[in-house]
Amino acid sequence: MRSLLFAANWKMHLAPAEARAYLQQFLPRYTQRPGREVWFFPTALALETVAQALGGRDDLGAGVQDIYWEPKGAFTGAISAPLAAQTGARAALVGHSERRHVFGESDAETRRKVAAVLDAGLTAVLCVGEKLGERDGGQTLTVVTRQLTAALDGVPAKALGALVVAYEPVWAIGTGRNATPADAAAVHRHIRSWLRERGAARPRVLYGGSVNLKNVAELLAEPELDGVLVGGASLDPVAWTQLVQTEAT
Ligand code: PGA
């Protein structure tokens, strides 16, 4: 059976009380399905609220949007992977395009973050993707390969097998312009073979970038997609409930 992961990236939205209200709408409407997981990435402030509301269910999970690689110490404003884990996170995004392009995160930093996430026993969701100029210049696979190599070279096969990679072309994030299923599939195949060559048994590769209720069925019809990472369209609990229950043909 095909298994699918739906990840909601709430970015800088939804305070704890709003997150609680959101899940009070989502949970009664959502029917658990075999082979389907739904993960939420709230702000660090709402992480505990979300993790507690999900109540330890296997098919639902909470994660953190970013971490600093040191486990603890004098790093004002930062949070670490062990702190996120103790607050209820099961997973952590690493290298989201907004971290890379708004906050200037480097490939070298993604590597330290992946290592810290794995050390804390969390699932790393590594985000990769090219900018518009790079796509137009035919550089998509070169950029994605560079990002994978920088973040993951040397990570043992077993850890690679548990990792999730999200392919999120920068030009598709928050723009309303999604990659076509065929565009996404070509990059997913490349990511999957890169991971398999390094011993990852069943790598999971998500697509992200302007996924919404209208285009999700068409995207999920592409078997290369193991799920989606969704920003804007995850903020409304009713629409999100519908999105995560979309039939995958
Ligand atoms: P979007 O964001 O769905 O709003 O395009 C996706 C993401 O940044 O993870």
Side-chain angles (χ1 to χ4, degrees):
M1 187 188 47
R2 185 174 180 205
S3 73
L4 289 172
L5 171 57
F6 294 81
N9 176 9
W10 287 352
K11 307 192 180 184
M12 202 167 70
H13 297 284
L14 303 182
E18 295 168 317
R20 195 176 301 113
Y22 178 113
L23 292 171
Q24 279 166 357
Q25 298 214 53
F26 171 80
L27 289 168
R29 287 182 169 83
Y30 178 65
T31 311
Q32 181 171 2
R33 294 178 177 212
R36 212 168 263 228
E37 286 176 69
V38 184
W39 293 0
F40 295 90
F41 292 85
T43 69
L45 297 173
L47 177 58
E48 185 170 21
T49 301
V50 170
Q52 285 182 355
L54 299 181
R57 269 172 64 168
D58 281 350
D59 62 320
L60 303 176
V64 64
Q65 295 174 13
D66 183 42
I67 53 107
Y68 185 58
W69 52 79
E70 292 292 344
K72 61 183 175 189
F75 303 103
T76 300
I79 58 166
S80 69
L83 287 176
Q86 285 170 53
T87 310
R90 267 195 227 163
L93 301 181
V94 176
H96 187 275
S97 86
E98 285 142 23
R99 298 305 316 172
R100 293 179 193 263
H101 303 303
V102 180
F103 297 100
E105 185 167 305
S106 67
D107 285 339
E109 288 172 325
T110 62
R111 183 193 198 88
R112 300 182 81 166
K113 290 185 178 188
V114 167
V117 167
L118 298 176
D119 278 352
L122 301 177
T123 301
V125 181
L126 175 69
C127 305
V128 298
E130 81 287 4
K131 294 192 268 189
L132 186 57
E134 293 165 336
R135 167 157 288 253
D136 290 344
Q139 294 299 301
T140 299
L141 298 185
T142 310
V143 170
V144 167
T145 307
R146 190 202 75 221
Q147 292 170 333
L148 290 171
T149 308
L152 301 176
D153 222 19
V155 172
K158 190 158 175 276
L160 281 185
L163 183 98
V164 178
V165 174
Y167 168 56
E168 298 204 304
V170 179
W171 48 270
I173 296 178
T175 59
R177 182 180 161 198
N178 63 291
T180 65
D183 284 341
V187 184
H188 282 222
R189 260 191 293 281
H190 177 77
I191 293 170
R192 211 180 294 283
S193 66
W194 191 96
L195 291 165
R196 284 222 173 103
E197 275 165 26
R198 285 156 185 81
R202 291 186 56 203
R204 289 201 277 182
V205 188
L206 311 183
Y207 169 75
S210 294
V211 177
N212 58 38
L213 252 181
K214 290 203 182 102
N215 59 26
V216 68
E218 185 194 16
L219 286 161
L220 292 178
E222 169 49 63
E224 278 290 338
L225 271 65
D226 298 311
V228 285
L229 175 58
V230 184
S234 71
L235 291 173
D236 175 70
V238 177
W240 177 244
T241 314
Q242 270 178 276
L243 194 154
V244 302
Q245 301 194 99
T246 303
E247 283 306 326
T249 46

